[in-house]
Amino acid sequence: MVEIGTNINLAKDLLLRGELVAIPTETVYGLAANALNEKAVLSIFEVKNRPFFDPLIIHLASIESVKLYADFEDERLLILAKHFWPGPLTLLLPKKNNIPYLITSGLDKVAVRIPNHAISLKLLESISFPLAAPSANPFGYVSPTEPNHVKKHFGNRLAYILDGGKCEVGIESSIVGIENDKVCIYRLGGLSIEAIEKIIGPVELKINQSSNPKTPGQLKNHYAPKKPLFVGDVKKLKQKHHLKKIDLIYFGQDEIKLDDYTNIYNLSETKDFKEAAVNLFKFLRLADDSDSEIIICSELPDIDLGRAINDRLKRAAR
Ligand code: TXA
Ligand code: MG
């Protein structure tokens, strides 16, 4: 079985040789390879069973190094970068020629971010190439927030898992770019719209273009457990499915009758969105692996990180 450890030098050597290494970030674990080595990048797609039309995010350690691979054509994106990097923000920037089209699925923009995780930043600072890293889960499944999640999925199909503990944000980065001179959000994530708008004013939401192959993270039926998941009014859903064994995931709502569930997970007793984001994928995995038949999950208030959490839940739901 693949080793889980904290040896940054080993991770570096393996990446130099074109191997796959799982890396921790503050959002979720990534399945990383040298972004400039097309053979290594190909194996990311292979191991994840990911379609080639789904482009990869590249990870770097500084804005200076980002500029070697992409252009900050638009001042607003540079302002966001300076404000929120390292952090859960991915920017779509015009790519330079040194980034293979395999990374961008043929698009002229590349997705870039500087992750906020000490170990991975150290690793990124020690290498002279960007790391392409999608979430380290099979395509379409729930993202991993702990090293063991990655190990469970991929066993020996990667060379090493760099252990950075549990992810502190727990939900993928927010993806932001420019379209028709407007700042657009393509994926809701660990950085709230409110936080982004505070810095650069109103943004446009482009998160529901499920037919748009530009951003498969927008696909309905993404981030999904294997078991049926129903999201909405818990009481009504419970009535509808009362003959089934149910795992319940909820959010600080004490008025729910908590008996007769197989398992109950509270995303946050105090209704703290950050805590809920940290717990979300772990609970979806636990519920998926339990002996219940279905999962019911309450919808969160549609503000702050609640929006990104609802977005993931709806895409994971039947
Ligand atoms: O938090 C994150 O972003 C994590 C960590 C590991 O950094 N990564 C992640 O990668 O979530 P992935 O591949 O699971 O999701 C990346 C999303 C995909 O939906 C992809 O379609 C979109 O970013 N994307 C990547 N490059 C793009 C591009 N050039 N244009 C439009 N969308 C892009
Ligand atoms: Mg993913």
Side-chain angles (χ1 to χ4, degrees):
M1 261 307 209
V2 62
E3 193 191 333
I4 298 176
T6 53
N7 190 337
I8 296 178
N9 280 329
L10 174 61
K12 176 186 162 183
D13 288 344
L14 291 164
L15 289 163
L16 274 168
R17 278 190 251 146
E19 306 262 6
L20 298 186
V21 173
I23 57 163
T25 82
E26 79 282 32
T27 59
V28 300
Y29 272 75
L31 184 63
N34 176 350
L36 308 181
N37 177 338
E38 294 200 48
K39 216 171 139 201
V41 174
L42 270 176
S43 56
I44 292 181
F45 285 95
E46 225 172 84
V47 166
K48 265 192 69 105
N49 200 11
R50 180 181 179 110
F52 287 115
F53 64 76
D54 191 0
L56 304 176
I57 298 176
I58 61 166
H59 299 70
L60 288 152
S62 69
I63 292 185
E64 291 66 50
S65 51
V66 169
K67 286 178 178 168
L68 299 174
Y69 303 100
D71 294 315
F72 282 97
E73 218 181 26
D74 195 289
E75 187 65 20
R76 289 166 292 181
L77 297 189
L78 185 59
I79 291 170
L80 287 177
K82 286 181 176 164
H83 234 92
F84 294 114
W85 280 350
L89 168 71
T90 292
L91 296 176
L92 298 181
L93 304 175
K95 80 174 198 70
K96 293 200 166 159
N97 285 337
N98 49 11
I99 292 296
Y101 277 112
L102 180 61
I103 294 283
T104 65
S105 302
L107 300 169
D108 290 321
K109 286 186 183 170
V110 61
V112 190
R113 89 179 187 98
I114 301 181
N116 188 15
H117 194 293
I119 292 178
S120 287
L121 281 174
K122 225 170 163 184
L123 172 67
L124 285 164
E125 278 159 10
S126 76
I127 54 181
S128 59
F129 48 83
L131 289 180
S135 52
N137 52 285
F139 183 70
Y141 193 69
V142 182
S143 291
T145 52
E146 299 173 18
N148 269 317
H149 296 162
V150 183
K151 185 168 179 170
K152 194 174 159 203
H153 289 310
F154 297 129
N156 279 331
R157 303 201 65 202
L158 75 175
Y160 191 58
I161 298 174
L162 194 54
D163 188 353
K166 293 182 183 172
C167 299
E168 280 179 2
V169 172
I171 193 162
E172 300 87 345
S173 59
S174 303
I175 302 182
V176 177
I178 303 282
E179 211 173 301
N180 300 325
D181 203 37
K182 293 208 174 91
V183 179
C184 299
I185 300 197
Y186 296 93
R187 178 173 74 179
L188 294 169
L191 187 62
S192 70
I193 298 179
E194 289 89 339
I196 295 170
E197 289 191 328
K198 223 173 169 179
I199 306 301
I200 40 142
V203 296
E204 224 170 272
L205 271 192
K206 299 238 172 198
I207 57 167
N208 283 321
Q209 307 170 337
S210 57
S211 60
N212 177 0
K214 261 197 239 170
T215 326
Q218 300 171 329
L219 289 177
K220 177 95 182 93
N221 280 330
H222 212 72
Y223 314 102
K226 294 180 215 91
K227 247 176 228 179
L229 166 74
F230 301 93
V231 180
D233 184 298
V234 169
K235 273 186 203 151
K236 283 189 194 148
L237 288 170
K238 175 78 168 86
Q239 265 165 16
K240 191 168 166 199
H241 299 284
H242 69 281
L243 293 176
K244 292 258 187 331
K245 284 161 78 177
I246 303 171
D247 268 13
L248 172 69
I249 301 177
Y250 76 114
F251 181 66
Q253 286 144 322
D254 22 15
E255 71 271 21
I256 293 171
K257 207 168 150 260
L258 292 175
D259 36 4
D260 56 350
Y261 289 99
T262 306
N263 294 289
I264 295 162
Y265 315 86
N266 194 341
L267 288 169
S268 171
E269 251 167 66
T270 56
K271 297 201 174 187
D272 177 319
F273 289 119
K274 279 193 175 152
E275 187 186 8
V278 167
N279 285 329
L280 179 68
F281 290 153
K282 179 175 72 186
F283 289 169
L284 280 175
R285 284 165 178 272
L286 287 172
D288 205 19
D289 292 341
S290 86
D291 57 3
S292 70
E293 293 161 281
I294 64 168
I295 308 167
I296 286 179
C297 187
S298 56
E299 205 173 329
L300 276 65
D302 226 14
I303 50 164
D304 200 336
L305 291 186
R307 275 199 250 210
I309 295 171
N310 286 337
D311 172 84
R312 297 301 184 277
L313 286 171
K314 283 177 191 161
R315 290 179 207 279
R318 296 280 160 106

